[in-house]
Amino acid sequence: MYAQMVKSTGTGVKSLDEMEPEERAFQEKVDADIRIEARDWMPEGYRKTLIRQIGQHAHSEIVGQLPEGNWITRAPTLERKMILLAKVQDEAGHGLYLYSAAETLGVTRDEMTEMLLSGKMKYSSIFNYPTLTWADIGAVGWLVDGAAIMNQVPLQRTSYGPYSRAMIRICKEESFHQRQGYDIMMKMAKGSEAQKRMAQDALNRFWYPSLMMFGPSDANSVHSEQSMAWKIKINSNDELRRKFVDQTVPQAEYLGLTVPDDTLAWNEEKGGYDFAEPDWDEFFDVLKGAGPANHDRLEARKTAWDDGAWVRDGLTAHAEKKRTAKVAAE
Amino acid sequence: MADALFESLLRLGDNALILGHRVSEWCGHAPVLEEDIALANTALDLLGQTNLWLEYAGEVEGKGRSADDLAFLRDAWDFRNVLLVELPNGDFGQTILRQYLYDQFNLMNLEALKGSTDTRVSEIAEKAAKEAAYHVERSRGTVVGLGDGTEESHRRMQDALNILYPYALELFITDEVDAEMAKAGIIPDPKSLEDTYLAAVGATISEATLELPQAHFGHRGSGRDGRMHTEHLGHILTQMQWLQRAYPGQSW
Ligand SMILES: [Fe+2]
Ligand SMILES: [Fe+2]
């Protein structure tokens, strides 16, 4: 997902009996679905894990502007251009909500940005894939926002209040994004031969990367147990991936497109699809920085940050001058 | 009359389209997240205005061309925007100063257009003026903040002003089309806005502790009549129109 491999700092999940009174009171609140707020006591591991998770999610929204921003100046109609601009603007807004949520845990947005740029914090592997044709913009909305929704809807009920409230705001907008993406795919899949080819090609390239968004399979997901006990992770990776496949395959069929998986088949017994796992070696490579887009994305963010330093400094200096002038006048 | 109105609507629409394109290039690359959001918002408003002006232009022309046809299927010589909006973004200071120089004019022009004898024009102006008022407040504030910020930001803003100010003056290079529209009470003669514009810009620039350069728009011919453009316009169109040109007649 947008937060795919978040290390939990807990050392195995403790039972209530093993906890000190403070921690026990905290866990009982979480168990009873009472929201934890910034001023409440919380275990250090909970706080740190949340910073990583929310930070990674925020960075994903920010870096996620780039593959779609890549097509704003080339969008084929004025209406498509405006829809895409509004979507990318929404993603920047999501970044803002999430950074604000993370800031309640005692880390600043600038600190998190520095960690992103130095490689200490990650963003979702999906944004390291390039958008090559206009159909990719459809595929991103349909599949990437679709996968994001799958993960974020349950997170609306996460235990940390500011995070949960950010998720509620974000989810409303994500469903628009997915519909708009699907609408592009529809136009392409029902369009000319060239457009159909673009649509199929986009699905071919984005299918497995979208499945990777949910993170490694449960067997290899070492940190899930503690996060689930803290309710900052609600469903397992495999569970969400299955739900996503079950939802998406009929949508692809409706478009007349072929999911690039020969093993894909409806399994009557389990009431869901059997499907192939993505190439996890590729996932770990991409997460580590393989692929041209990975380098481009980070360079773009670094350039934006470095070139913008004089602007941030200038505006801060001006605000400071105005403040001193006001104090002097009083 | 219809010809002059068509021309004038292209001038309005093309300014918004080309500036909207330039501003949208910032998406994901701004100095701070709030600016990413604000610039996207500005670009969005400009593209919305483009749509309204060009749609009406197509109707006035009467050849069945839609706003998209006009945006995506004309070549450089048929564009009627001023050169200011085609210029590359430069650094953020240059982008925001160009934005201010345009916003200030756009707002005054739209305020005047609200009183147009052409109801369609006045309706579009009514809506667009609200957006422009917000844009000018923002771009003006940022120009002042950066002009009167650090030594570096001051220097960069002065450099931007020296480059851009002559181009702003093109907004007041007028011709018979303007005269005809003004006479009919449809669109004011830009010259009638010049003094208030220069006063407003002058006030902003001095609040920003910058100095207005001695300048005039020295080119013969203007983007407004299509006799002059920068080389940049062709590259903008190459990008903007590529899909429509490569796959003609498709629905997207
Ligand atoms: Fe988002
Ligand atoms: Fe989204």
Side-chain angles (χ1 to χ4, degrees), chain A residues 5 36 56 82 87-88 95 102 120 123 133 153 180 250 298 303 307 320:
Chain A
M5 293 260 305
I36 306 299
Q56 202 180 108
M82 286 193 275
K87 177 188 195 277
V88 177
K120 273 177 78 183
Y123 56 89
T133 74
V153 164
Q180 289 156 353
L298 265 185
T303 307
D307 289 359
E320 182 60 23

Side-chain angles (χ1 to χ4, degrees), chain A residues 62 72-78 80 82 85 88-89 109 134 187 192 195 301 304 308 310 312 314 318 321, chain B residues 21 27-29 31 33-34 37 41 44 47-48 68 72 93 145 148-149 152-153 156 239-240 244 250-252:
Chain A
I62 300 310
I72 290 173
T73 56
R74 290 179 292 168
T77 68
L78 291 171
R80 290 287 179 208
M82 286 193 275
L85 248 172
V88 177
Q89 186 192 29
R109 197 207 301 179
W134 173 250
K187 273 273 190 309
S192 68
Q195 286 175 312
R301 291 311 304 162
W310 73 268
R312 298 189 299 274
H318 180 72
K321 280 185 202 176
Chain B
H21 179 98
C27 226
H29 305 279
L33 194 43
E34 284 80 354
I37 294 172
N41 192 56
L44 256 177
L47 291 168
D68 279 343
F72 294 96
D148 183 27
E152 182 182 4
S153 72
R156 284 174 178 269
Q239 246 188 24
M240 186 169 82
Q244 288 271 3
Q250 308 302 316
S251 131
W252 301 94

Side-chain angles (χ1 to χ4, degrees), chain B residues 85-184:
Chain B
V85 297
E86 307 169 2
L87 298 178
N89 285 334
D91 65 11
F92 178 81
Q94 199 172 317
T95 292
I96 205 69
L97 184 67
R98 177 186 61 196
Q99 190 63 40
Y100 168 68
L101 292 171
Y102 172 81
D103 288 342
Q104 186 71 72
F105 175 80
N106 197 29
L107 178 61
M108 288 175 173
N109 196 36
L110 290 168
E111 285 296 337
L113 287 176
K114 283 194 205 168
S116 173
T117 53
D118 183 311
T119 48
R120 184 76 171 273
V121 169
S122 67
E123 280 165 15
I124 296 174
E126 190 77 44
K127 178 182 180 289
K130 289 190 195 110
E131 297 166 350
Y134 176 71
H135 296 171
V136 80
E137 192 184 308
R138 240 192 146 269
S139 58
R140 186 183 192 281
T142 312
V143 165
V144 168
L146 291 174
D148 183 27
T150 60
E151 218 171 283
E152 182 182 4
S153 72
H154 178 85
R155 176 180 56 74
R156 284 174 178 269
M157 294 310 283
Q158 186 63 54
D159 289 348
L161 186 60
N162 296 345
I163 295 171
L164 296 175
Y165 190 59
Y167 287 98
L169 302 177
E170 185 194 354
L171 292 161
F172 307 102
I173 306 281
T174 57
D175 60 10
E176 21 352 299
V177 170
D178 298 302
E180 195 180 334
M181 284 295 100
K183 201 165 153 234

Side-chain angles (χ1 to χ4, degrees), chain A residues 2 61 91 94 170 174:
Chain A
Y2 280 10
E61 301 282 358
E91 306 302 2
H94 297 172
I170 289 171
E174 297 294 8

